[in-house]
Amino acid sequence: LIINQDIDECIIEDCIIFILKWNKEDKGLPVENRKPIKIYLNSNGGDSIIAMQLVDVIKMSITPIIIVGFSLVASAAFHIFVAGHDKVCFENTIFLMHDGAITINNSTSKARDTMKFIEELEARAKQHILNKTVMDEKYYDDHYDVELYLYADKAKELGVVDKIIGVDCNIDYIFK
């Protein structure tokens, strides 16, 4: 699967459908006998709500999912990347974690309701990152409201990345 555009319903729904389909086809096979699903990811980010749906599907997939980061893995794409069962990138892949952006155009009371929802979404996204990396809560909180850019080596230190192609494995690894 290739995600090389902004995160939106069209690209993510296709990924979800294929992951579900391949899990259904693999039903009954032991995990070690399943052919891993690969997601090649290069994205500026996008819709965090739909991204978290893909995160849920990746986390629930019994068939292993290898995510390969290319070029830029930013914002909502960052959340998708860290959900992978095996997270691989190149030395110069850039990761971006930040607090995202929203626009609210509504009545005051409805804007407050929207903000409550956004706060819950942010709390869930934070827990996802804390569960899937070695970042502690203080590090996360200290860096969440800035543009935290990471190259592969720093991302690996933080548990965002498992393997760096050319350092921890060769390029054949992503074809297994």
Side-chain angles (χ1 to χ4, degrees):
L1 301 172
I2 299 171
I3 302 174
N4 63 352
Q5 61 192 54
D6 288 348
I7 305 302
D8 66 15
E9 293 87 358
C10 296
I11 189 86
I12 299 306
E13 286 175 356
D14 284 348
C15 289
I16 289 170
I17 294 299
F18 278 112
I19 292 169
L20 295 174
K21 175 185 181 290
W22 292 326
N23 269 271
K24 181 180 177 188
E25 289 172 1
D26 287 348
K27 189 173 182 167
L29 287 175
V31 173
E32 60 275 5
N33 292 346
R34 295 175 180 221
K35 182 179 177 185
I37 298 167
K38 294 172 198 85
I39 299 175
Y40 300 96
L41 182 59
N42 173 27
S43 175
N44 292 321
D47 187 329
S48 59
I49 293 170
I50 193 71
M52 293 307 284
Q53 293 306 299
L54 180 55
V55 165
D56 286 344
V57 171
I58 291 169
K59 288 190 326 190
M60 299 310 294
S61 177
I62 297 168
T63 300
I65 298 181
I66 299 171
I67 300 189
V68 182
F70 291 93
S71 191
L72 180 63
V73 178
S75 194
F78 183 89
H79 290 278
I80 293 168
F81 184 86
V82 300
H85 302 153
D86 194 2
K87 305 168 291 189
V88 183
C89 72
F90 292 88
E91 286 185 80
N92 288 303
T93 301
I94 299 168
F95 297 88
L96 169 62
M97 183 184 82
H98 66 173
D99 59 353
I102 63 166
T103 302
I104 299 175
N105 185 11
N106 218 322
S107 68
T108 304
S109 61
K110 289 181 180 78
R112 276 192 222 103
D113 291 341
T114 300
M115 281 309 301
K116 285 179 192 172
F117 167 75
I118 296 299
E119 288 169 3
E120 177 65 22
L121 178 64
E122 285 185 336
R124 287 171 180 247
K126 174 182 178 176
Q127 197 56 54
H128 165 63
I129 297 299
L130 294 178
N131 289 342
K132 293 293 290 178
T133 69
V134 297
M135 287 185 212
D136 63 23
E137 191 165 7
K138 180 175 178 3
Y139 185 91
Y140 182 93
D141 290 343
D142 288 348
H143 293 89
Y144 186 68
D145 62 351
V146 300
E147 301 287 323
L148 178 62
Y149 285 97
L150 306 166
Y151 275 106
D153 55 346
K154 183 64 176 178
K156 186 176 174 193
E157 284 177 31
L158 294 171
V160 173
V161 171
D162 296 321
K163 294 176 187 69
I164 301 170
I165 299 166
V167 175
D168 304 305
C169 60
N170 65 34
I171 199 159
D172 291 340
Y173 184 80
I174 62 175
F175 303 117
K176 71 176 191 169

